[in-house]
Amino acid sequence: MTDNALQPGEDGRHITYCRICEALCGMAVTVENGRITQIEADQDNVSSAGFICTKGPNMASVVYDPERILYPMKRTGGPGEFSRVSWDDALADISARLSSLRETWGGEAIGAYVGNPAAFAGMQYDWVLSFLRSLGSTQNYTPSAGDISAFCFATEAVIGPGFTIPDLPHCDYLLIVGANPLESHTSLLHAPRIREDLDAIAARGEVVVVDPRATKTAKRYTHQSIQPNSDVYFMAGLLKTVFDESLVDEEFVAAEVVGADELASVLAQLSLEECARECGVPVVDIQRIARDFAAHERAACYSRLGISRASYGALTNLLLLALNIVTGKFGRRGCSFMGLNPYLPEGFSNRGAENSHGKQRTRTGNLPAVGGHLPATVMADEILHPGEDRVRALLVSAGNPVLSFPNGTRLEEALQSLDLLVSLDLYITETNQYADYILPATSFFERADVPVFSITTMPRPALHYTPAVIEPLGEAREEQHVFMEISRRMGLPNPIAMTLLPEDLWQEHQDSDQLVLLDRAIRLGMFGDQFGDRPGGLSLDLARHHPHGVPIENYDAYQEWRRHARHPEGKLDLWNDTIAGDFRRLRDEGLRLKPGQDQLRLFGRRSVRNINSWMHNVGDLVKGDAGSPALYMHPDDASARDIEDGQLVSVAGKHRAVNCQVRLTPDVVPGSVCYPHGWGHGGASNWSVAKQTRGVNINDIISSDVEDLDPLTGSPLFDGFPVTISAVSGNTARA
């Protein structure tokens, strides 16, 4: 047991953890004269055990970046033209203008966009939603439509709100579809030492990676190539084989599942030959993978963005979950199971609860919210929507949607039409260059934190707590305190209290921050100390005395799903009218935006040195090729178009085109090209290093037309959309 008693900014070695992604790798941070001088891996962290990637140690460059915003800024001219202002003046004006807009136009005139970094900083998504609810607004936008909406739809439809994860420590056969965990360090799965986990599974059995590119993960294990934007047919082929060849776990399905017969019936309408033709995986390989999966007692199928950002992403995720379930590979050791949520009270049950999907919809396109989050794909249209009910004010926290979503040009137009735009951020970005105010947020080294989101995706659950390592620089403030102060000035309840407490306790905790209320939830949860009634139970005080983490042990992890099952009989539900409708759409329409003659399918990729757009101002992370992403193309496709390695080409989507350099590689499946998203920095933003990188904004050529979006999630076709590639006139290959 170690008590990390150092105060923020005190010289010494501070134990903390990274909050850039789900891995939450442990860090040992050296502070000298109040300044971070070194960042190393925490060898004793109970989860990462000495592992850390290249991004974490480079976070100090973000903290001390001379271009970081450290004081409240008010726009005094055109985009990007700001002057320093006091916190009091900024908050007084913001609160008064929000109150006036609400009084004149109603709460729906005010919206919010919360970006990905917030996912690893407590419950920010939830309390921003509560803040909007207190205003009378449902205009809550997040990156979910480009990330987790499809996964969340499937889980909520079959079980209830929550996350399913593979039991990595005990699995003998892992099927990975559309994920590259050795470079992404996993997503919706907390496994910082993922390579060791996968190596161990491969030694016991097999790891099969289904991907249109020979990624770092695919090359290390068994790679099955597939065409981008075709996973729905691959998953349907696996399930059809399971049903046709009686590979179903009949006992488990009879006891725990409803809707399996309906699912089998609709799959019977597809042929394996059709599935193979559409996805590019031969029938014999589909059958082999299905048989191997079913034959292993301890097997799990895991996926992420690769299937969620393609056509029928929601349906594909449901089929993946169904594969785990009907083969009996769910809720059992070594299989897939629902992650632990220690914040839920003992005795919690979701049985009989109503599915929220479709209850809230956008005014433009009639697209559903998923988990309370509206698709940011149509945020520009909602702002520009004619009439009195349009969005007139937007609060943006830790997000850069101009680069993150299709048709950023239209979003720029929308942002400039707002009556009020407020951003909480570290930099002037392509999005907040149009803000009326930019309010300086803390980096994760400048605040205390508890992992709220990630603890529910841990195969080896552990409670972590970190104090701040240093005091906030300049006048940076935590987002939670900014929203609490705006709420106070507007006469609204504390949004964090609204998130975690019943209404009769809101006033009592009007000034309580996130840590205080999270500690209450943990202590009253199923593993909590019940405020002393259960000695040794969880609390933040216990975590403070164990800075390397507190393992949560001695519980039946595999039955956690029963607390979340919303079906009236507490079963897993594989069929409803929404699912039936999407199968009809698949049968009648097939894949959206199929490539025409001479077109290729473009899909994305991740690099271990990058995460979306927000760390591109760190020189060490964008050196050389890392700052000059290229379009990967198969040599056969290049030869057919007289394109040479290094040549500048035009990449044309449905409405727009961009130019980028080609890199020829056999790693991508013929018929496809590959390019990462999050690049193309420019405008009046102050990211001088990022603006020197040579990447382009590939999201700008993705269609945001409503007819091209997944009607179940509002997600664009980020992966596998058709493009036309042609050499730029007068350009030749590099010497």
PDB file of all heavy atoms in Angstrom, residues 237 376 580:
ATOM      1  N   GLY A 237     -23.207 -14.369 -42.868  1.00  0.00           N
ATOM      2  CA  GLY A 237     -22.734 -15.676 -43.325  1.00  0.00           C
ATOM      3  C   GLY A 237     -22.290 -16.565 -42.182  1.00  0.00           C
ATOM      4  O   GLY A 237     -22.564 -17.781 -42.178  1.00  0.00           O
ATOM      5  N   ALA A 376     -24.103  13.980 -34.721  1.00  0.00           N
ATOM      6  CA  ALA A 376     -23.499  15.257 -35.115  1.00  0.00           C
ATOM      7  C   ALA A 376     -23.445  15.409 -36.626  1.00  0.00           C
ATOM      8  O   ALA A 376     -23.166  16.502 -37.120  1.00  0.00           O
ATOM      9  CB  ALA A 376     -22.108  15.374 -34.517  1.00  0.00           C
ATOM     10  N   ALA A 580     -36.135  -6.129 -37.657  1.00  0.00           N
ATOM     11  CA  ALA A 580     -36.800  -6.696 -38.834  1.00  0.00           C
ATOM     12  C   ALA A 580     -36.799  -5.704 -39.988  1.00  0.00           C
ATOM     13  O   ALA A 580     -36.576  -6.070 -41.158  1.00  0.00           O
ATOM     14  CB  ALA A 580     -38.229  -7.101 -38.478  1.00  0.00           C
TER      15      ALA A 580
END
